[in-house]
Amino acid sequence: MSLTGRGILLAPGGSVEASKASLEAGADAVYVGLKGWSRGGGRGELTSGELIQVLALARNKGASVQLALNTIPKGHEIDFLVERLRELEAWGIGGIILNDPGILARIHQCYPDFPLTASIGCGALNLGDVALLEEIGASCVVLPGTLDPAEIAEIRPHVKAQIEVMIHMVDEFHQLGKCWMPSFYRTNPSPMPEMPADGERLTGSIKRGGAGVCFKVCQQPWGLYFNGQHVDERMLPARQVSRAAEVSAYIEAGVDVIKLQGRSLPVEQVFSLVQRFRMALDQARDGRQVAGVPPFELPRSWVVVGR
Amino acid sequence: MNRELFELNTTISNMKDLMASDLDPYDAIYLGNPFCRDYEANFLEELDDLRVGIRHCREAGCKVYLSTYAAPRNYFMPQIRRAIGVAAEEGVDAVEAHNLGVVRMLRTEFPAVPIHIGGFANVYTDTGAAVLGDYGSVRVTPNYELSLEEIEGMAKSTGLHVEILVHGKMPLGISDYCFLLEYEKDWGMKCPDLCQQDLFLRQGEWAMKSVGKGVLSGRDVCMLEHLPHLVAAGFRFFRVESISEDPAYRRDVAAVYREALEEVLNGAFQLREGWWEKIQTHTKVGLCNGFYFGQSGQLYIGNQQSAGFGETSARPSTELGRMSSVEPLSRAVNNQLRVIS
């Protein structure tokens, strides 16, 4: 089942239990990572066996599963991935989330009917970005929740691709998909799980190893020096974006999919997060003002570290 | 001078910096600051300046490219369109796009203008470069995280020209938010002066240079002693990243690289102490090789003993610091080379 219609709630599934919690809390679809291939990092990925379990759970709920294959593999790894998709497609996956326009274009050529989502890491921010990604094969493009509904309303009439907005996310200092601070300090090549050849995951690189291992560089205390003089001790700014109250505005702007970040959240928090947005979305669909949505408390360590 | 055999280029944000800069060591100049619309008199906003700036570069014997914003929202696009329009009227040699939307705008609205893909465009794969080639791109700066081995492969498989950063502070990201604005009151200084100050974020020996809406590596990427390898591998387009530097840095560093590259191409390359002295004069924190040798970006791999020069401080005591220990050499690196962290 692919994502169709507007106002689909796409929730995180960092584990079988978290996927179950998302589905029970009312998600229309869950997105999960496959070990070694997912930007969510090692803590938020599933083995093939676990993926099959989640597919069964979703099927029972009439929901869809999106598979995040959104690290950027290297040449021979891409060949392996393209072949592997033949098997994954047969399992009934609703679509693939990809992080590189080139890989997206190639997979679209090989599997023209497979729904492909251009991940937030593709960096789309404007109409031209979305249009180009659509032209090369994306059936859905993810935009950050830092974009206002009015900006999305400007894009919507000009593209056919679905527009997905991550309206619950950590807005870090550097934009998602445009940060190389962690790998500047450290990279740690490690074997790629579930890959028979010499696959390599570049831990430390957000794009090539997964965000779950970004070493928290921006959340370290940094001394700020002005002309060589220490003037402050600070972290780089980051904030939680969680725009449940604006769900109606996003839907009216033409957003098709409401996405929630959080594949490494504890199961109980996934449930309450998804429940909160389910309530907001249902109110919006009924034409009601979003109200009474319970606040969502994040663990202190979640910001940046535990997306 | 071997003006035809290679290209040495740099970035200049505004007219003030352009007029203060000696362009003689350069073959080409990128005009415009891709980080921020509010950067003082950014060529991308001051279009009369852009027109004059293009002519000035031409008169200095340089090719001229227009750089564009790294992360433009919809509301940036009309101004980008205007800037490209002016640049096209002036016969600019190419426009650098860091963003797919700008690439598409160039393809559809300015098809005669050659497209260079900038380092913020996240070109990680051969297929990604090929897609951009299909949209009319003629040159690509791969993402900074790629190794030389990967970049060489990309150049061979796509046939696109590849540009690489050979010296200067490497961008480490782009932000929506300028945290320097928080200091306006305390420092008695306002935008757009804030980000032009000498501002570093430091933790022990590690440093990043703040440019407001983003940070650059504190250490300067330096590929001086590796130029013979780069030339042998077929690279011909080299950038000295001086966007946040003063005119003396811009002139002196490029002069060293120009001389060195000419010697490489003449088969007479020999590292000179005078070159290192010049580089040292302009090195605040230290040197690194970026990701070119498949390692963390802050390491310096090479034979130059003084590569760690610049300011020094005690090793960091934090978890982040402990993680910075020197790692094994990449398989791509000659085992005879030294790692200087």
Side-chain angles (χ1 to χ4, degrees), chain A residues 181-183 185 214-222 236, chain B residues 208 320:
Chain A
M181 282 192 298
S183 52
Y185 293 106
C214 85
F215 302 146
K216 308 180 272 181
V217 171
C218 58
Q219 293 302 289
Q220 292 288 319
W222 288 89
L236 294 173
Chain B
M208 301 187 289
L320 187 63

Side-chain angles (χ1 to χ4, degrees), chain A residues 129 135 173 177 183 208 223 232, chain B residues 101 122 135 145 150 175 183:
Chain A
D129 293 333
E135 286 164 2
F173 176 58
S183 52
R208 309 180 103 182
D232 200 4
Chain B
N122 275 346
Y135 274 81
E145 286 189 331
E150 292 171 297
S175 177
Y183 297 96

Side-chain angles (χ1 to χ4, degrees), chain A residues 72-74 78 100-103 105-106 121-129 131-133 135-136 146-148 150-152 154-155 171-175 177-181 183-189 198 200 202 204-208 215-217 220-228 231-234 236-237, chain B residues 70-75 77 98-104 119-122 124-125 127-128 131 135 143-147 150 170-177 179-180 182-183 187 189 197-203 206-208 212-215 217-219 288 291 294-298 318-320 323-324 327 331:
Chain A
I72 299 180
K74 297 176 184 172
I78 299 172
D100 179 79
I103 296 173
R106 180 168 168 196
C122 286
L125 291 170
N126 59 57
L127 168 59
D129 293 333
L132 191 149
L133 289 165
E135 286 164 2
I136 63 172
T146 49
L147 265 65
D148 292 326
E151 291 178 88
I152 290 161
E154 290 174 6
I155 298 171
D171 180 24
E172 298 168 6
F173 176 58
H174 281 158
Q175 294 180 7
K178 303 227 173 183
C179 179
W180 310 286
M181 282 192 298
S183 52
F184 181 68
Y185 293 106
R186 188 190 184 202
T187 51
N188 183 24
D198 56 342
E200 186 179 84
L202 204 57
S205 164
I206 296 175
K207 302 286 279 186
R208 309 180 103 182
F215 302 146
K216 308 180 272 181
V217 171
Q220 292 288 319
W222 288 89
L224 179 60
Y225 288 78
F226 185 162
N227 288 334
V231 292
D232 200 4
E233 195 76 9
R234 62 166 302 140
L236 294 173
Chain B
R73 308 273 278 260
N74 274 336
Y75 52 86
M77 295 310 232
H98 296 276
N99 170 268
L100 298 178
V102 176
V103 170
R104 192 169 180 276
F120 284 109
N122 275 346
Y124 276 87
T125 60
T127 48
V131 163
Y135 274 81
N143 184 276
Y144 302 103
E145 286 189 331
L146 265 62
S147 68
E150 292 171 297
M170 176 174 54
L172 298 180
I174 182 84
S175 177
D176 283 328
Y177 181 73
F179 71 83
L180 299 178
E182 298 169 20
Y183 297 96
W187 297 352
M189 187 181 291
Q197 307 306 311
D198 182 49
L199 290 162
F200 280 83
L201 293 155
R202 288 177 173 275
Q203 189 189 113
W206 294 356
M208 301 187 289
K213 288 189 172 177
V215 295
S217 61
R219 292 184 177 211
C288 66
F291 298 92
Q295 301 288 302
S296 299
Q298 70 155 353
T318 62
E319 183 189 359
L320 187 63
M323 291 194 300
S324 75
E327 292 158 9
R331 58 177 172 263

Side-chain angles (χ1 to χ4, degrees), chain A residues 94-174:
Chain A
I96 304 292
I97 303 167
L98 296 161
N99 201 0
D100 179 79
I103 296 173
L104 191 149
R106 180 168 168 196
I107 291 177
H108 178 64
Q109 284 170 358
C110 297
Y111 305 93
D113 299 325
F114 211 165
L116 302 180
T117 295
S119 157
I120 198 162
C122 286
L125 291 170
N126 59 57
L127 168 59
D129 293 333
V130 178
L132 191 149
L133 289 165
E134 180 181 39
E135 286 164 2
I136 63 172
S139 53
C140 182
V141 178
V142 187
L143 299 171
T146 49
L147 265 65
D148 292 326
E151 291 178 88
I152 290 161
E154 290 174 6
I155 298 171
R156 176 72 274 167
H158 303 287
V159 293
K160 290 180 184 160
Q162 292 189 319
I163 294 179
E164 180 173 313
V165 181
M166 192 182 269
I167 67 172
H168 179 88
M169 60 174 274
V170 177
D171 180 24
E172 298 168 6
F173 176 58
H174 281 158

Side-chain angles (χ1 to χ4, degrees), chain B residues 217-275:
Chain B
S217 61
R219 292 184 177 211
D220 290 40
V221 170
C222 176
M223 294 297 283
L224 182 62
E225 67 174 294
H226 302 294
L227 289 179
H229 170 74
L230 297 181
V231 170
F235 296 113
R236 293 293 183 274
F237 301 96
F238 305 111
R239 187 178 306 214
V240 171
E241 188 49 270
S242 68
I243 193 164
S244 70
E245 309 294 348
D246 62 27
Y249 181 112
R250 193 170 286 131
R251 178 195 62 222
D252 292 348
V253 171
V256 166
Y257 275 81
R258 164 130 245 121
E259 205 173 331
L261 281 164
E262 291 189 349
E263 289 196 0
V264 171
L265 286 159
N266 291 332
F269 177 78
Q270 196 166 9
L271 280 167
R272 295 185 198 161
E273 197 52 39
W275 291 346

Side-chain angles (χ1 to χ4, degrees), chain B residues 13 25 158 162 202 225 233 291 293:
Chain B
S13 299
T158 63
V162 170
R202 288 177 173 275
E225 67 174 294
F291 298 92
F293 296 116

